[in-house]
Amino acid sequence: MASSSAVERPVIDLKKLMKGEDTRAAGLVASAAYPTSETLSLALENKESNPTEAIALLREILNHPSSTSEVLRIKEQAISSLAEILSQEKKAEELRSLLTDLRPYFSLVPKAKTAKIVRGIIDAVAKIPGTSELQIALCREMVEWTRSEKRMFLRQRVEARLAALLMDGNEYAEALSLLTNLVREVRRLDDKLLLVDIDLLECKLHFSLRNLPKAKAALTAARTAANAIYVPPAQQGTIDLQSGILHAEEKDYKTGFSYFFEAFEAFNALDDPRAVFSLKYMLLCKIMTNQADDVGSLISSKAGLEYTGVELDAMKAVAEAYSKRSLKDFEEALKTFREQLEQDPIVHRHLSSLYDTLLEQNLCRLIEPFSRVEISHISELIGLPIDAVEKKLSQMILDKKFAGTLDQGAGCLIIFDDVKPDGIYPLTLETISNISKVVDSLYLKSAKIMA
């Protein structure tokens, strides 16, 4: 025989409840022992069609006073769903207040689950564009809360996230100070997985500050910590990507290409969006090692076809301009793909040196037939402003790329013939050196005879 409670429980029309039409149902929900899974299901059904109603239902679940294990489980699912909906609706401030509202709930669940929820909500805020300042403020609030609650492990992870955000915002001094303290603290606790993250952040920070020795030292520390534990594929791909960037910075493009390839394979297997950047840097290494003809085959390969888009089109345009040794095509590629080439600091740095090389090669080729030529004529031939051509020619003369001088009064470049070195000077020095050796040997022999 069924229990009386099971028989007498009325059916609650949740749709009428949300519209305020069923006041009797509202009272029953308020006095219910726990929020039902049906409420959560209804919220998930309305997630796409009626987000406002779904948010209201989910908040009703979170506000329920019961703290049984079943209620806590349902609340955890509701939190995850609510964060996802608020992120889709771009309601960053509501996500921020959600973390504050959930603090009583955090005292009822394990610390590991709290850390998972906190990081999930911070990630949800990060998906909303233009919220960098809000993310920094949110991380600062959570750091203060974790300090007061003595949740050390969560605090360390939030501080690492805060350091990454500060670095993205060019707040290098504060980020470096935060990371220095974190590294010292985490090494003492021997949390190697977190240590890998922090060392990688420190490497990126020093690289941004153009301090390559410290960047390499931080990367070595990250590799050492990673070798002692199991590192997730995404983290290993990040290490390889950073290794490739450092080797490319040192002009070791062949080694850099191999690291970028390893990173690409790891990210490609995980469908990580960083795979396209790894492939982009692989193409950059091919261009910088005078193997621009290989760029097309890499893009048309099975793996490359999956990432066909504007990023790879930009590198293809640069490769074609380099193969033709055409400075004009190179400049057109820079203008057409400004966001992909000039706003990417890694690509921009290497393409700047590539541009200088192409410019010097073109100028040398143009002035080769002349002994005296107007700068305006060279400017017309190469298609650049006169001031830029004059500045580059003077730099090449100082760097001894060719012998000549600029006659600015006449607006001409005078090229000197290559003076063949006279062989009499080195021969004379060699003869004097040999005579010195003969005199020294005669002195020694005479000293022995006199003795």
Side-chain angles (χ1 to χ4, degrees), residues 289-335:
T289 52
N290 296 322
Q291 297 177 347
D293 296 335
D294 295 343
V295 169
S297 59
L298 281 172
I299 293 175
S300 59
S301 64
K302 182 179 179 181
L305 288 174
E306 296 180 15
Y307 299 96
T308 302
V310 67
E311 298 286 350
L312 301 190
D313 289 344
M315 299 310 299
K316 186 176 181 180
V318 172
E320 289 175 353
Y322 184 77
S323 297
K324 296 176 183 177
R325 293 291 191 269
S326 172
L327 193 64
K328 184 178 179 181
D329 290 350
F330 188 84
E331 286 189 327
E332 287 180 357
L334 290 178
K335 289 178 182 178

Side-chain angles (χ1 to χ4, degrees), residues 359-378:
L359 180 57
E360 289 176 1
Q361 290 176 352
N362 276 264
L363 285 174
C364 288
R365 177 172 55 83
L366 291 173
I367 66 176
E368 188 176 1
F370 303 102
S371 59
R372 183 184 179 94
V373 59
E374 291 183 351
I375 299 174
S376 58
H377 181 61
I378 300 175

